[in-house]
Amino acid sequence: MSSTTTQSSGVTSVSYSFVLKWTLKAKQLKDLGNSSGASVIRSDLYQLKTTKNLRFYLEIEKPKKFNGDWATVKGSKMWSFKLAYAFSFSKDKAFKLKESPKLSFLDWFATNHVLDEENVTIHCVVVALPVHPAPSVKEDDLFLMKCQNSVDFEDMPNFTLPSGYTNEMVIEFIRQGELPDLTVGKAIEIIGQTKVHNCEVLKILCAEYLMNNITPQNFRQISRAAMDYALPLLERKCLKKITDGYNEIRY
């Protein structure tokens, strides 16, 4: 979690960013919308105890249209909530759950991407801004649903990263959930430093970026990274490019 304070003409505004991870069973997602399953999956109710009425939760719902958002955020009327981005990951694959320019290289999540017994982790960032509703607006009573817990954030987390963490892109992702503006070079750099920074989810995102950005010009660079850093999915994607007649590779 992080907070930002801005001041203009004597008016101070405070916003909060929450980096959240939420793990579900794949079968829960597959059952969405089925007669045997729920229509919506709701996360725990999150609240910042030191800030009045700052309460929210995530919802996962099967989109009504093809390639639509799966994830939304809802909460107190006294705050405005925005889901900056949301994606799922399991094993070595990631899929987007909400449209985001910095995740345009990801495919949309689909239930046939995962097996019933798999754990699927949702990684997202929620931004909260205070609002000033009309006096007649009453605060919502956000009741806990069955199997939903209340999770309290006491205050800003106080943690120190190891001294070996030097890559600012990785540090910003860990601390604030900030997605890097990836290029092929940056993605390979982050993957190469995974053992130092121990950020597996960012490694998965970088591998996905490389798989969806192979060109004749960078083929050798990406295929070498796939072998050097033991990325079997990326290796297979490179081999498929060759078998599909990718004959414009620059050596």
Side-chain angles (χ1 to χ4, degrees):
M1 184 185 75
S2 63
S3 66
T4 303
T5 303
T6 58
Q7 186 168 349
S8 177
S9 302
V11 177
T12 301
S13 175
V14 178
S15 64
Y16 295 92
S17 294
F18 300 86
V19 183
L20 302 174
K21 289 184 180 180
W22 175 25
T23 301
L24 300 167
K25 284 293 184 183
K27 191 174 188 310
Q28 291 177 267
L29 297 169
K30 289 190 171 189
D31 287 345
L32 274 175
N34 295 341
S35 58
S36 60
S39 59
V40 173
I41 304 174
R42 183 180 289 188
S43 74
D44 290 333
L45 178 65
Y46 303 101
Q47 56 184 355
L48 183 58
K49 293 187 70 174
T50 56
T51 304
K52 186 178 180 181
N53 296 323
L54 206 172
R55 303 192 301 275
F56 65 93
Y57 57 87
L58 304 172
E59 279 192 347
I60 302 296
E61 183 177 11
K62 191 173 183 178
K64 295 178 174 61
K65 63 177 183 177
F66 185 69
N67 287 350
D69 291 348
W70 285 73
T72 56
V73 58
K74 296 181 180 179
S76 164
K77 290 181 180 178
M78 304 300 166
W79 290 80
S80 172
F81 296 96
K82 175 187 176 183
L83 192 59
Y85 66 79
F87 63 89
S88 70
F89 66 94
S90 58
K91 296 185 177 179
D92 293 326
K93 292 291 292 178
F95 301 96
K96 61 184 173 184
L97 296 168
K98 185 183 185 303
E99 189 61 74
S100 172
K102 288 190 177 182
L103 294 176
S104 60
F105 57 89
L106 288 183
D107 293 330
W108 282 99
F109 177 81
T111 54
N112 61 359
H113 290 150
V114 289
L115 301 175
D116 286 359
E117 64 273 13
E118 283 185 43
N119 287 328
V120 177
T121 300
I122 295 167
H123 186 108
C124 65
V125 166
V126 173
V127 179
L129 294 164
V131 296
H132 303 284
S136 59
V137 174
K138 293 183 178 180
E139 170 58 12
D140 289 324
D141 288 326
L142 300 179
F143 296 107
L144 291 175
M145 294 177 63
K146 186 178 179 181
C147 300
Q148 188 184 29
N149 298 310
S150 179
V151 178
D152 295 335
F153 297 107
E154 294 291 343
D155 205 342
M156 295 288 294
N158 182 18
F159 63 89
T160 303
L161 295 174
S163 59
Y165 283 42
T166 57
N167 189 310
E168 288 298 324
M169 293 181 291
V170 180
I171 292 171
E172 289 301 303
F173 179 78
I174 293 172
R175 283 183 168 168
Q176 301 185 46
E178 181 67 30
L179 293 170
D181 292 309
L182 289 175
T183 63
V184 168
K186 288 179 180 178
I188 293 174
E189 175 189 344
I190 291 171
I191 290 171
Q193 296 175 356
T194 298
K195 288 185 179 179
V196 175
H197 295 109
N198 193 29
C199 188
E200 190 68 21
V201 62
L202 190 53
K203 173 187 173 182
I204 292 172
L205 283 184
C206 289
E208 290 281 3
Y209 177 86
L210 294 177
M211 283 192 284
N212 287 281
N213 284 277
I214 300 172
T215 67
Q217 292 75 23
N218 63 31
F219 178 86
R220 289 193 67 195
Q221 183 184 14
I222 291 177
S223 60
R224 171 55 61 185
M227 291 184 288
D228 288 347
Y229 301 120
L231 302 170
L233 294 180
L234 183 56
E235 281 193 69
R236 287 201 291 270
K237 188 66 176 282
C238 290
L239 288 173
K240 189 174 187 304
K241 290 288 186 182
I242 295 175
T243 57
D244 286 348
Y246 212 48
N247 54 10
E248 298 179 7
I249 299 170
R250 294 187 178 180
Y251 289 94

